[in-house]
Amino acid sequence: MHDIKLIRDNPKVLDNGLERRNLPPQAAEVVKLDAERRAIQTQLQEMLARRNELSKQIGYMKRSGGDATELTEEVAKLKTLVPALEDEELVAAEKIDKLLSTLPNVPADDVPYGKDEKANLELRKVGEPRRMNSAKEHYDIGEKLKLMDFDNAAKMSGARFTILKGQLAQLERALGNFMLDVHTRDFGYTEISPPLMVRPEMMFGTGQFPKFSDDQFSTYAGYASIPTAVAKNWANDGDIRVAPPLWLIPTAEVPLTNIVYDSIVEAESLPYRFVARTPCFRAEAGAAGRDTRGMIRQHQFYKVELVSITTPEQSNAEHDRMTDAAETILKKLEIPFRTVLLCTGDIGFSAKKTYDIEAWLPGQNAYREISSCSNCGDFQARRMKARFRAKGDKNTQFLHTLNGSGVAVGRALIAVLENYQQDDGSVLIPSALKPYMGGLEKITL
RNA sequence: GGAUGGGUGGCCGAGCGGUUUAAGGCACCGGUCUUGAAAACCGGCGUGGGUGAAAGCUCACCGUGAGUUCGAAUCUCACCCCAUCCGCCA
């Protein structure tokens, strides 16, 4: 959410940001709607002030036994005007709120301009891709080992689901455990086991709502009082008050960040660092036909997520620190990767600046995203009403929030399979994972 | 699913139609005292908005939304949320 005062004083900042994101300018419209709302508000407030004044006088007259008829009549006249103006004010406020809530964050100044991912800036490459004779893709490796079952998963749940078995299921668990240990032990993150279903307000707070509700799964069970028709249409007016009651999280970023929803924290206690391994649920509505084979893009996958809550002064350094934590996972797994700075056309709705970490996948002969670390500045904090108070300061300020995958477990599994595959179809276990696999050296048929 | 109780400022908690301009306490900030601190005492202190150069003036907010009234934290209705007990259940 944007600071309306900032837009009012300096509309260029918003429009430049939108332009850099390849979106049309909106500041003029925002300023216009804001002016309209304030004009109505001022008019209404003058009327209410007069009403309050008269009511006070009436009370005084009645107590002292005077005649208040004349005053009562004047208030009655005012009363016919107030409701209409109140309605106007509500409509005007909703108009501007609706527009503001759909505008993305302004990219940081050091984010390069670009139309799409082709303009992303490669910052560094770590590790040399291993030479292989004929690299297989992860699904071939998994199916050959008979430990990855797409057919039965489709029977149960449809496309974009996978059944992992035996040592592959164990590998998935091992990866998550390993990542949690690194982040808690080496980087000071506090492990959290959060709810996987959240209220719509939380989804608004982190920026999924109202714009990206199509990508989310909602739940109704136990809440039959919500009419389905209303629930289905709620997104049309974007009013979260009539949204379905609980939503499956698309990432642990949602519950971890919303820990500070509607709160005021002490500056000295910052930064907060939270880590969680959770399932993530995504409708993948806009991704029809993309990555249909294998488990690259699923409706459900595990991810280890990092979230930091900081003061404005801390957030840039924290962003680098978080990215380092995510990179450390791949370094320890000895999986080649590169880190790119996303261009303005590729960063997410809530982000000011984002680093993507892409793991090398020999089977695809390409780098594929395995982590995304974003600094959201105060954008989410405004939506969440998440503030802090500096010691001795009367006023509150909005927090800064950051989130990053540390890393996506499902894709890490793919990366391990493809990078550690052997010509005979077996897969070596990365040495960092051996303790988590009971000392197992490799997975064979 | 059934029953009951409850949602008031950063926190606790009173208020149940008009000196409430939301009591009181805690926390916090400033001051007095003190070698320093604590205690005590004095003072300040909710959030968001409008207007203004500023001081200030002003509006809204007591879970949310309607309603009654000249006037609502207070009365009425609906809804949401929380807690406890029972039922069911991992």
Side-chain angles (χ1 to χ4, degrees):
Chain A
M1 193 73 92
H2 294 276
D3 185 352
I4 181 68
K5 282 187 205 157
L6 228 64
I7 299 176
R8 206 184 288 154
D9 296 344
N10 207 343
K12 273 256 168 351
V13 172
L14 173 65
D15 277 349
N16 286 345
L18 291 172
E19 192 187 347
R20 273 157 56 74
R21 278 184 183 261
N22 308 302
L23 294 167
Q26 295 281 4
E29 180 68 8
V30 171
V31 169
K32 193 190 104 199
L33 289 174
D34 176 51
E36 280 172 13
R37 198 190 102 250
R38 284 191 297 157
I40 296 167
Q41 193 173 23
T42 304
Q43 207 186 337
L44 174 65
Q45 288 187 356
E46 276 165 11
M47 220 174 266
L48 289 174
R50 178 67 183 151
R51 186 201 64 182
N52 290 349
E53 174 60 29
L54 288 172
S55 286
K56 230 176 248 175
Q57 284 180 29
I58 291 170
Y60 180 75
M61 291 280 271
K62 288 206 168 167
R63 265 194 313 263
S64 59
D67 179 21
T69 320
E70 208 172 300
L71 294 172
T72 308
E73 274 168 14
E74 189 180 343
V75 176
K77 265 182 221 154
L78 275 177
K79 270 191 75 177
T80 62
L81 300 170
V82 167
L85 216 50
E86 276 176 340
D87 284 350
E88 264 184 67
E89 209 253 311
L90 196 73
V91 169
E94 269 175 7
K95 255 192 216 165
I96 190 162
D97 285 348
K98 202 169 163 182
L99 177 58
L100 277 180
S101 68
T102 59
L103 297 180
N105 204 350
V106 168
D109 290 338
D110 57 348
V111 172
Y113 168 77
K115 266 190 142 56
D116 52 39
E117 71 276 1
K118 284 185 223 104
N120 293 344
L121 195 67
E122 183 179 294
L123 297 180
R124 51 190 167 266
K125 252 182 185 152
V126 177
E128 273 300 311
R130 191 161 67 90
R131 289 185 147 276
M132 287 184 205
N133 294 331
S134 53
K136 292 196 184 79
E137 294 217 41
H138 70 280
Y139 44 81
D140 283 336
I141 302 165
E143 285 187 320
K144 279 250 167 59
L145 289 167
K146 298 195 189 309
L147 298 177
M148 206 179 265
D149 180 354
F150 295 102
D151 296 337
N152 279 308
K155 182 179 71 185
M156 281 179 214
S157 311
R160 299 202 190 281
F161 288 92
T162 311
I163 296 172
L164 294 181
K165 296 182 190 171
Q167 289 175 330
L168 272 197
Q170 193 188 348
L171 182 62
E172 181 182 55
R173 175 160 56 94
L175 279 164
N177 288 350
F178 160 70
M179 293 175 202
L180 286 169
D181 283 346
V182 170
H183 296 311
T184 54
R185 286 177 197 164
D186 301 348
F187 290 95
Y189 283 86
T190 302
E191 184 168 349
I192 305 284
S193 177
L196 307 179
M197 302 158 89
V198 297
R199 297 211 168 96
E201 287 87 344
M202 306 299 122
M203 296 286 247
F204 180 86
T206 35
Q208 280 78 20
F209 283 3
K211 239 189 148 179
F212 306 100
S213 56
D214 283 354
D215 291 329
Q216 320 303 333
F217 289 109
S218 63
T219 67
Y220 299 90
Y223 295 90
S225 62
I226 305 286
T228 308
V230 171
K232 273 190 177 160
N233 289 324
W234 79 273
N236 295 340
D237 38 315
D239 186 350
I240 59 173
R241 286 171 298 185
V242 296
L246 285 176
W247 293 74
L248 300 184
I249 60 168
T251 157
E253 170 198 342
V254 176
L256 293 184
T257 309
N258 277 292
I259 286 175
V260 292
Y261 183 92
D262 191 25
S263 65
I264 300 174
V265 303
E266 302 291 335
E268 307 95 88
S269 65
L270 298 169
Y272 294 163
R273 297 192 176 107
F274 302 129
V275 60
R277 179 247 316 266
T278 69
C280 303
F281 303 95
R282 296 185 183 179
E284 295 293 352
R290 255 200 297 164
D291 301 312
T292 46
R293 282 216 68 183
M295 48 185 292
I296 284 264
R297 193 174 297 274
Q298 303 270 285
H299 284 311
Q300 177 197 320
F301 58 94
Y302 284 98
K303 182 157 60 67
V304 170
E305 181 76 2
L306 305 168
V307 162
S308 293
I309 312 287
T310 75
T311 65
E313 291 72 32
Q314 294 166 338
S315 74
N316 283 335
E318 185 70 14
H319 193 197
D320 291 339
R321 187 183 187 279
M322 174 180 275
T323 307
D324 179 46
E327 288 183 357
T328 297
I329 296 297
L330 295 178
K331 285 179 188 163
K332 284 181 186 271
L333 291 175
E334 298 176 81
I335 291 170
F337 67 89
R338 61 171 195 165
T339 302
V340 300
L341 174 60
L342 295 195
C343 74
T344 55
D346 205 22
I347 58 175
F349 179 78
S350 295
K352 243 174 70 176
K353 181 177 177 180
T354 298
Y355 298 115
D356 267 12
I357 301 170
E358 301 177 343
W360 175 252
L361 296 187
Q364 290 200 1
N365 198 38
Y367 284 101
R368 292 298 305 259
E369 178 188 339
I370 198 167
S371 170
S372 191
C373 299
S374 299
N375 184 354
C376 297
D378 65 4
F379 185 82
Q380 292 180 321
R382 285 181 189 283
R383 297 178 149 243
M384 294 190 298
K385 301 177 289 274
R387 296 149 293 168
F388 73 96
R389 200 192 307 273
K391 188 148 184 78
D393 198 343
K394 232 186 80 175
N395 298 314
T396 59
Q397 298 176 59
F398 286 107
L399 290 159
H400 276 204
T401 62
L402 305 95
N403 63 80
S405 351
V407 300
V409 176
R411 290 192 179 178
L413 183 97
I414 293 171
V416 168
L417 291 183
E418 295 200 6
N419 282 282
Y420 284 83
Q421 62 180 301
Q422 305 299 304
D423 290 339
D424 63 0
S426 66
V427 175
L428 295 179
I429 302 296
S431 52
L433 289 181
K434 282 177 193 165
Y436 294 87
M437 292 293 287
L440 189 72
E441 294 285 334
K442 66 174 173 179
I443 300 175
T444 50
L445 185 62

